[in-house]
Amino acid sequence: MVDLQNRTCDCREFELDLIPCSHAAVIICCTGAAIYDYVDRCYKAESLVGMYNSVIRGLPHPEQWIMPDAFGARVVLAPEIRRRAGRPSTSRARAPFEASSSARRQFCTRFHGQGHNRHVCTSHLPIGGVDLNSPPEDVPRRRAPKKCSICGSTEHTRPTCPIRLSADEH
């Protein structure tokens, strides 16, 4: 549910980032308004330029620092860090909307589609006159039964035909 007047969306991305989420962007485009008008002013160029209008002074050389007497003799060391057990990760953690480049993508060799393989392909594909997606009773047989070339019977073939065998005996 997107409310453009209050700049809210149920996904809460619009309120948190102050930039229209994908849901709000679709509605804004459908209304013909400019998406730039719904981006918070903190992201606009005028705000960025305004932030750096004042003079920013750098730190003086460490010899010129004024140190209180209580801190003068103390030495601050880096914290001890223990490495975690196991192999260190080689890449950063990816956000949920980013595609994983290291994961092997599934690829269907039947229709060259992505996201599934040929064993679970639900696309309508007739192979050899057989529709794999239709019920079994509608599927024609792949081969017609063999017939005897002498008598035409489907119960036997030419080498075992009783007519041929009886003619060979006479």
Side-chain angles (χ1 to χ4, degrees):
M1 193 74 161
V2 177
D3 183 1
L4 292 179
Q5 289 179 340
N6 295 325
R7 297 179 185 219
T8 59
C9 180
D10 284 347
C11 72
R12 302 206 18 98
E13 198 174 316
F14 201 170
E15 300 112 78
L16 295 174
D17 295 340
L18 303 175
I19 298 174
C21 62
S22 59
H23 313 108
V26 170
I27 293 174
I28 293 168
C29 289
C30 288
T31 60
I35 287 183
Y36 190 73
D37 296 337
Y38 290 91
V39 175
D40 193 69
R41 65 184 188 100
C42 71
Y43 291 108
K44 296 186 179 181
E46 302 87 37
S47 297
L48 185 64
V49 170
M51 277 191 252
Y52 294 102
N53 274 342
S54 62
V55 177
I56 299 174
R57 299 175 195 252
L59 286 173
H61 195 273
E63 293 173 358
Q64 297 174 346
W65 291 355
I66 300 170
M67 296 289 288
D69 293 334
F71 297 115
R74 292 189 184 171
V75 176
V76 179
L77 301 174
E80 281 189 33
I81 299 174
R82 284 190 165 199
R83 298 192 85 171
R84 298 177 88 184
R87 186 180 182 100
S89 71
T90 56
S91 63
R92 65 180 178 81
R94 299 202 178 273
F97 59 86
E98 292 181 304
S100 175
S101 61
S102 62
R104 185 174 174 184
R105 292 191 175 102
Q106 287 187 333
F107 186 75
C108 178
T109 56
R110 195 177 275 171
F111 275 117
H112 306 291
Q114 291 184 351
H116 66 280
N117 58 25
R118 65 184 227 98
H119 300 291
V120 294
C121 184
T122 58
S123 299
H124 192 72
L125 177 68
I127 296 179
V130 177
D131 185 2
L132 297 177
N133 294 325
S134 64
E137 61 269 7
D138 294 344
V139 177
R141 291 192 211 176
R142 289 184 183 243
R143 287 187 180 172
K146 292 186 177 183
K147 292 182 178 180
C148 175
S149 60
I150 298 172
C151 66
S153 172
T154 57
E155 294 180 12
H156 59 268
T157 57
R158 182 183 179 100
T160 57
C161 181
I163 296 173
R164 178 178 168 239
L165 294 176
S166 64
D168 288 343
E169 291 176 2
H170 294 303

mmCIF file of all heavy atoms in Angstrom, residues 4-9 11-22 24-25 28 35-44 47:
data_model
loop_
_atom_site.group_PDB
_atom_site.id
_atom_site.type_symbol
_atom_site.label_atom_id
_atom_site.label_comp_id
_atom_site.label_asym_id
_atom_site.label_seq_id
_atom_site.Cartn_x
_atom_site.Cartn_y
_atom_site.Cartn_z
ATOM 1 N N LEU A 4 1.350 8.434 -1.454
ATOM 2 C CA LEU A 4 2.293 9.420 -1.976
ATOM 3 C C LEU A 4 2.255 10.728 -1.195
ATOM 4 O O LEU A 4 3.268 11.426 -1.108
ATOM 5 C CB LEU A 4 2.022 9.687 -3.460
ATOM 6 C CG LEU A 4 2.326 8.525 -4.408
ATOM 7 C CD1 LEU A 4 1.998 8.902 -5.838
ATOM 8 C CD2 LEU A 4 3.771 8.089 -4.297
ATOM 9 N N GLN A 5 1.107 11.077 -0.615
ATOM 10 C CA GLN A 5 1.022 12.330 0.138
ATOM 11 C C GLN A 5 1.873 12.267 1.409
ATOM 12 O O GLN A 5 2.582 13.203 1.749
ATOM 13 C CB GLN A 5 -0.425 12.647 0.498
ATOM 14 C CG GLN A 5 -1.248 13.065 -0.698
ATOM 15 C CD GLN A 5 -2.689 13.350 -0.316
ATOM 16 O OE1 GLN A 5 -3.169 12.909 0.726
ATOM 17 N NE2 GLN A 5 -3.373 14.088 -1.174
ATOM 18 N N ASN A 6 1.801 11.152 2.109
ATOM 19 C CA ASN A 6 2.592 10.983 3.332
ATOM 20 C C ASN A 6 3.955 10.357 3.052
ATOM 21 O O ASN A 6 4.736 10.166 3.981
ATOM 22 C CB ASN A 6 1.832 10.128 4.343
ATOM 23 C CG ASN A 6 0.572 10.801 4.814
ATOM 24 O OD1 ASN A 6 0.538 12.020 4.942
ATOM 25 N ND2 ASN A 6 -0.467 10.017 5.049
ATOM 26 N N ARG A 7 4.180 9.991 1.816
ATOM 27 C CA ARG A 7 5.438 9.358 1.384
ATOM 28 C C ARG A 7 5.728 8.112 2.222
ATOM 29 O O ARG A 7 6.787 7.973 2.842
ATOM 30 C CB ARG A 7 6.590 10.350 1.463
ATOM 31 C CG ARG A 7 6.360 11.511 0.521
ATOM 32 C CD ARG A 7 7.450 12.514 0.584
ATOM 33 N NE ARG A 7 7.088 13.639 -0.264
ATOM 34 C CZ ARG A 7 7.922 14.305 -1.017
ATOM 35 N NH1 ARG A 7 9.178 13.968 -1.038
ATOM 36 N NH2 ARG A 7 7.515 15.301 -1.763
ATOM 37 N N THR A 8 4.770 7.176 2.179
ATOM 38 C CA THR A 8 4.912 5.921 2.916
ATOM 39 C C THR A 8 4.578 4.752 1.998
ATOM 40 O O THR A 8 3.884 4.907 1.002
ATOM 41 C CB THR A 8 3.971 5.869 4.145
ATOM 42 O OG1 THR A 8 2.631 5.999 3.695
ATOM 43 C CG2 THR A 8 4.292 6.959 5.139
ATOM 44 N N CYS A 9 5.106 3.613 2.372
ATOM 45 C CA CYS A 9 4.817 2.354 1.666
ATOM 46 C C CYS A 9 4.870 1.239 2.696
ATOM 47 O O CYS A 9 5.588 1.349 3.700
ATOM 48 C CB CYS A 9 5.848 2.110 0.554
ATOM 49 S SG CYS A 9 5.552 0.568 -0.347
ATOM 50 N N CYS A 11 6.318 -1.506 2.517
ATOM 51 C CA CYS A 11 7.652 -2.117 2.609
ATOM 52 C C CYS A 11 8.590 -1.280 3.485
ATOM 53 O O CYS A 11 9.680 -1.726 3.819
ATOM 54 C CB CYS A 11 8.255 -2.310 1.221
ATOM 55 S SG CYS A 11 8.785 -0.790 0.415
ATOM 56 N N ARG A 12 8.187 -0.074 3.840
ATOM 57 C CA ARG A 12 8.900 0.863 4.709
ATOM 58 C C ARG A 12 10.211 1.379 4.128
ATOM 59 O O ARG A 12 10.936 2.111 4.767
ATOM 60 C CB ARG A 12 9.143 0.251 6.104
ATOM 61 C CG ARG A 12 7.855 -0.147 6.759
ATOM 62 C CD ARG A 12 7.805 -0.188 8.257
ATOM 63 N NE ARG A 12 8.814 0.494 9.020
ATOM 64 C CZ ARG A 12 8.670 1.706 9.549
ATOM 65 N NH1 ARG A 12 7.571 2.381 9.352
ATOM 66 N NH2 ARG A 12 9.627 2.232 10.282
ATOM 67 N N GLU A 13 10.524 1.016 2.929
ATOM 68 C CA GLU A 13 11.745 1.491 2.285
ATOM 69 C C GLU A 13 11.639 2.978 1.952
ATOM 70 O O GLU A 13 12.616 3.717 2.055
ATOM 71 C CB GLU A 13 11.984 0.675 1.010
ATOM 72 C CG GLU A 13 13.380 0.744 0.476
ATOM 73 C CD GLU A 13 13.575 -0.200 -0.687
ATOM 74 O OE1 GLU A 13 13.121 -1.350 -0.619
ATOM 75 O OE2 GLU A 13 14.187 0.234 -1.668
ATOM 76 N N PHE A 14 10.438 3.433 1.586
ATOM 77 C CA PHE A 14 10.202 4.833 1.232
ATOM 78 C C PHE A 14 10.463 5.743 2.441
ATOM 79 O O PHE A 14 11.104 6.789 2.334
ATOM 80 C CB PHE A 14 8.758 4.987 0.749
ATOM 81 C CG PHE A 14 8.478 6.205 -0.094
ATOM 82 C CD1 PHE A 14 7.256 6.326 -0.742
ATOM 83 C CD2 PHE A 14 9.392 7.222 -0.269
ATOM 84 C CE1 PHE A 14 6.955 7.425 -1.522
ATOM 85 C CE2 PHE A 14 9.102 8.332 -1.046
ATOM 86 C CZ PHE A 14 7.888 8.435 -1.666
ATOM 87 N N GLU A 15 10.003 5.324 3.638
ATOM 88 C CA GLU A 15 10.191 6.129 4.839
ATOM 89 C C GLU A 15 11.626 6.078 5.349
ATOM 90 O O GLU A 15 12.168 7.069 5.816
ATOM 91 C CB GLU A 15 9.276 5.662 5.971
ATOM 92 C CG GLU A 15 7.810 5.742 5.653
ATOM 93 C CD GLU A 15 7.191 4.369 5.549
ATOM 94 O OE1 GLU A 15 6.925 3.757 6.585
ATOM 95 O OE2 GLU A 15 6.978 3.923 4.414
ATOM 96 N N LEU A 16 12.256 4.913 5.268
ATOM 97 C CA LEU A 16 13.596 4.767 5.824
ATOM 98 C C LEU A 16 14.656 5.451 4.973
ATOM 99 O O LEU A 16 15.540 6.129 5.489
ATOM 100 C CB LEU A 16 13.933 3.279 5.987
ATOM 101 C CG LEU A 16 13.083 2.529 7.005
ATOM 102 C CD1 LEU A 16 13.406 1.048 6.968
ATOM 103 C CD2 LEU A 16 13.301 3.088 8.394
ATOM 104 N N ASP A 17 14.599 5.263 3.668
ATOM 105 C CA ASP A 17 15.619 5.821 2.781
ATOM 106 C C ASP A 17 15.285 7.232 2.302
ATOM 107 O O ASP A 17 16.155 7.926 1.790
ATOM 108 C CB ASP A 17 15.809 4.920 1.558
ATOM 109 C CG ASP A 17 16.356 3.564 1.932
ATOM 110 O OD1 ASP A 17 16.934 3.436 3.023
ATOM 111 O OD2 ASP A 17 16.205 2.629 1.123
ATOM 112 N N LEU A 18 14.026 7.626 2.430
ATOM 113 C CA LEU A 18 13.538 8.922 1.941
ATOM 114 C C LEU A 18 13.689 9.059 0.428
ATOM 115 O O LEU A 18 13.803 10.141 -0.121
ATOM 116 C CB LEU A 18 14.254 10.084 2.659
ATOM 117 C CG LEU A 18 14.129 10.081 4.188
ATOM 118 C CD1 LEU A 18 14.976 11.179 4.773
ATOM 119 C CD2 LEU A 18 12.693 10.216 4.614
ATOM 120 N N ILE A 19 13.726 7.903 -0.229
ATOM 121 C CA ILE A 19 13.761 7.807 -1.698
ATOM 122 C C ILE A 19 12.615 6.874 -2.072
ATOM 123 O O ILE A 19 12.401 5.866 -1.399
ATOM 124 C CB ILE A 19 15.100 7.210 -2.193
ATOM 125 C CG1 ILE A 19 16.252 8.122 -1.797
ATOM 126 C CG2 ILE A 19 15.095 6.995 -3.687
ATOM 127 C CD1 ILE A 19 17.615 7.541 -2.108
ATOM 128 N N PRO A 20 11.882 7.136 -3.149
ATOM 129 C CA PRO A 20 10.775 6.241 -3.519
ATOM 130 C C PRO A 20 11.253 4.804 -3.752
ATOM 131 O O PRO A 20 12.255 4.578 -4.435
ATOM 132 C CB PRO A 20 10.240 6.847 -4.816
ATOM 133 C CG PRO A 20 10.651 8.272 -4.767
ATOM 134 C CD PRO A 20 11.945 8.310 -4.025
ATOM 135 N N CYS A 21 10.541 3.872 -3.133
ATOM 136 C CA CYS A 21 10.837 2.456 -3.357
ATOM 137 C C CYS A 21 10.302 2.055 -4.730
ATOM 138 O O CYS A 21 9.678 2.853 -5.427
ATOM 139 C CB CYS A 21 10.198 1.615 -2.258
ATOM 140 S SG CYS A 21 8.407 1.725 -2.211
ATOM 141 N N SER A 22 10.537 0.814 -5.124
ATOM 142 C CA SER A 22 10.098 0.359 -6.443
ATOM 143 C C SER A 22 8.579 0.420 -6.583
ATOM 144 O O SER A 22 8.058 0.729 -7.655
ATOM 145 C CB SER A 22 10.594 -1.063 -6.704
ATOM 146 O OG SER A 22 10.107 -1.950 -5.725
ATOM 147 N N ALA A 24 6.498 2.578 -5.043
ATOM 148 C CA ALA A 24 6.110 3.976 -5.189
ATOM 149 C C ALA A 24 6.523 4.508 -6.565
ATOM 150 O O ALA A 24 5.802 5.301 -7.169
ATOM 151 C CB ALA A 24 6.743 4.815 -4.087
ATOM 152 N N ALA A 25 7.673 4.050 -7.066
ATOM 153 C CA ALA A 25 8.153 4.515 -8.374
ATOM 154 C C ALA A 25 7.173 4.148 -9.481
ATOM 155 O O ALA A 25 6.918 4.944 -10.393
ATOM 156 C CB ALA A 25 9.527 3.937 -8.665
ATOM 157 N N ILE A 28 4.208 6.536 -9.159
ATOM 158 C CA ILE A 28 4.592 7.885 -9.567
ATOM 159 C C ILE A 28 4.672 7.978 -11.081
ATOM 160 O O ILE A 28 4.192 8.938 -11.689
ATOM 161 C CB ILE A 28 5.929 8.293 -8.904
ATOM 162 C CG1 ILE A 28 5.738 8.437 -7.394
ATOM 163 C CG2 ILE A 28 6.467 9.584 -9.500
ATOM 164 C CD1 ILE A 28 7.032 8.550 -6.611
ATOM 165 N N ILE A 35 9.684 11.573 -10.535
ATOM 166 C CA ILE A 35 10.172 10.866 -9.348
ATOM 167 C C ILE A 35 11.063 11.782 -8.515
ATOM 168 O O ILE A 35 11.077 11.707 -7.296
ATOM 169 C CB ILE A 35 10.922 9.579 -9.754
ATOM 170 C CG1 ILE A 35 9.922 8.538 -10.225
ATOM 171 C CG2 ILE A 35 11.738 9.025 -8.609
ATOM 172 C CD1 ILE A 35 10.512 7.210 -10.573
ATOM 173 N N TYR A 36 11.795 12.671 -9.158
ATOM 174 C CA TYR A 36 12.714 13.575 -8.463
ATOM 175 C C TYR A 36 11.978 14.424 -7.428
ATOM 176 O O TYR A 36 12.553 14.784 -6.410
ATOM 177 C CB TYR A 36 13.421 14.461 -9.481
ATOM 178 C CG TYR A 36 14.555 15.267 -8.906
ATOM 179 C CD1 TYR A 36 15.761 14.663 -8.561
ATOM 180 C CD2 TYR A 36 14.426 16.635 -8.687
ATOM 181 C CE1 TYR A 36 16.804 15.394 -8.021
ATOM 182 C CE2 TYR A 36 15.454 17.377 -8.150
ATOM 183 C CZ TYR A 36 16.649 16.757 -7.818
ATOM 184 O OH TYR A 36 17.667 17.482 -7.284
ATOM 185 N N ASP A 37 10.709 14.717 -7.656
ATOM 186 C CA ASP A 37 9.935 15.519 -6.712
ATOM 187 C C ASP A 37 9.653 14.766 -5.415
ATOM 188 O O ASP A 37 9.334 15.379 -4.397
ATOM 189 C CB ASP A 37 8.607 15.963 -7.335
ATOM 190 C CG ASP A 37 8.815 16.892 -8.529
ATOM 191 O OD1 ASP A 37 9.890 17.531 -8.603
ATOM 192 O OD2 ASP A 37 7.900 16.980 -9.370
ATOM 193 N N TYR A 38 9.736 13.449 -5.429
ATOM 194 C CA TYR A 38 9.456 12.634 -4.255
ATOM 195 C C TYR A 38 10.718 12.213 -3.516
ATOM 196 O O TYR A 38 10.646 11.533 -2.504
ATOM 197 C CB TYR A 38 8.631 11.398 -4.648
ATOM 198 C CG TYR A 38 7.226 11.766 -5.044
ATOM 199 C CD1 TYR A 38 6.910 12.036 -6.373
ATOM 200 C CD2 TYR A 38 6.228 11.863 -4.096
ATOM 201 C CE1 TYR A 38 5.620 12.386 -6.741
ATOM 202 C CE2 TYR A 38 4.937 12.212 -4.448
ATOM 203 C CZ TYR A 38 4.643 12.478 -5.776
ATOM 204 O OH TYR A 38 3.379 12.830 -6.123
ATOM 205 N N VAL A 39 11.878 12.599 -3.998
ATOM 206 C CA VAL A 39 13.133 12.317 -3.304
ATOM 207 C C VAL A 39 13.318 13.401 -2.242
ATOM 208 O O VAL A 39 13.092 14.582 -2.498
ATOM 209 C CB VAL A 39 14.316 12.316 -4.298
ATOM 210 C CG1 VAL A 39 15.635 12.149 -3.573
ATOM 211 C CG2 VAL A 39 14.134 11.221 -5.329
ATOM 212 N N ASP A 40 13.736 13.008 -1.035
ATOM 213 C CA ASP A 40 13.904 13.969 0.045
ATOM 214 C C ASP A 40 14.970 14.999 -0.311
ATOM 215 O O ASP A 40 15.916 14.720 -1.049
ATOM 216 C CB ASP A 40 14.306 13.240 1.328
ATOM 217 C CG ASP A 40 14.190 14.126 2.543
ATOM 218 O OD1 ASP A 40 13.052 14.456 2.920
ATOM 219 O OD2 ASP A 40 15.240 14.497 3.100
ATOM 220 N N ARG A 41 14.829 16.215 0.244
ATOM 221 C CA ARG A 41 15.735 17.299 -0.140
ATOM 222 C C ARG A 41 17.163 17.061 0.345
ATOM 223 O O ARG A 41 18.090 17.664 -0.175
ATOM 224 C CB ARG A 41 15.211 18.643 0.347
ATOM 225 C CG ARG A 41 15.145 18.800 1.827
ATOM 226 C CD ARG A 41 14.524 20.145 2.196
ATOM 227 N NE ARG A 41 14.634 20.353 3.617
ATOM 228 C CZ ARG A 41 15.565 21.111 4.182
ATOM 229 N NH1 ARG A 41 16.422 21.752 3.440
ATOM 230 N NH2 ARG A 41 15.609 21.223 5.483
ATOM 231 N N CYS A 42 17.360 16.163 1.314
ATOM 232 C CA CYS A 42 18.732 15.898 1.774
ATOM 233 C C CYS A 42 19.572 15.237 0.690
ATOM 234 O O CYS A 42 20.795 15.277 0.742
ATOM 235 C CB CYS A 42 18.722 15.061 3.043
ATOM 236 S SG CYS A 42 18.220 13.359 2.826
ATOM 237 N N TYR A 43 18.933 14.633 -0.321
ATOM 238 C CA TYR A 43 19.652 13.996 -1.420
ATOM 239 C C TYR A 43 19.869 14.937 -2.608
ATOM 240 O O TYR A 43 20.536 14.566 -3.565
ATOM 241 C CB TYR A 43 18.890 12.760 -1.919
ATOM 242 C CG TYR A 43 18.875 11.625 -0.926
ATOM 243 C CD1 TYR A 43 17.706 11.291 -0.252
ATOM 244 C CD2 TYR A 43 20.007 10.886 -0.668
ATOM 245 C CE1 TYR A 43 17.678 10.251 0.645
ATOM 246 C CE2 TYR A 43 19.994 9.840 0.233
ATOM 247 C CZ TYR A 43 18.823 9.528 0.887
ATOM 248 O OH TYR A 43 18.809 8.497 1.774
ATOM 249 N N LYS A 44 19.297 16.104 -2.562
ATOM 250 C CA LYS A 44 19.369 17.010 -3.708
ATOM 251 C C LYS A 44 20.658 17.819 -3.683
ATOM 252 O O LYS A 44 21.272 18.020 -2.629
ATOM 253 C CB LYS A 44 18.144 17.925 -3.731
ATOM 254 C CG LYS A 44 16.867 17.109 -3.937
ATOM 255 C CD LYS A 44 15.673 17.963 -4.110
ATOM 256 C CE LYS A 44 14.446 17.061 -4.330
ATOM 257 N NZ LYS A 44 13.256 17.803 -4.528
ATOM 258 N N SER A 47 21.209 20.854 -1.203
ATOM 259 C CA SER A 47 21.554 20.508 0.169
ATOM 260 C C SER A 47 23.025 20.144 0.286
ATOM 261 O O SER A 47 23.690 20.513 1.251
ATOM 262 C CB SER A 47 20.707 19.339 0.663
ATOM 263 O OG SER A 47 19.357 19.689 0.682
#
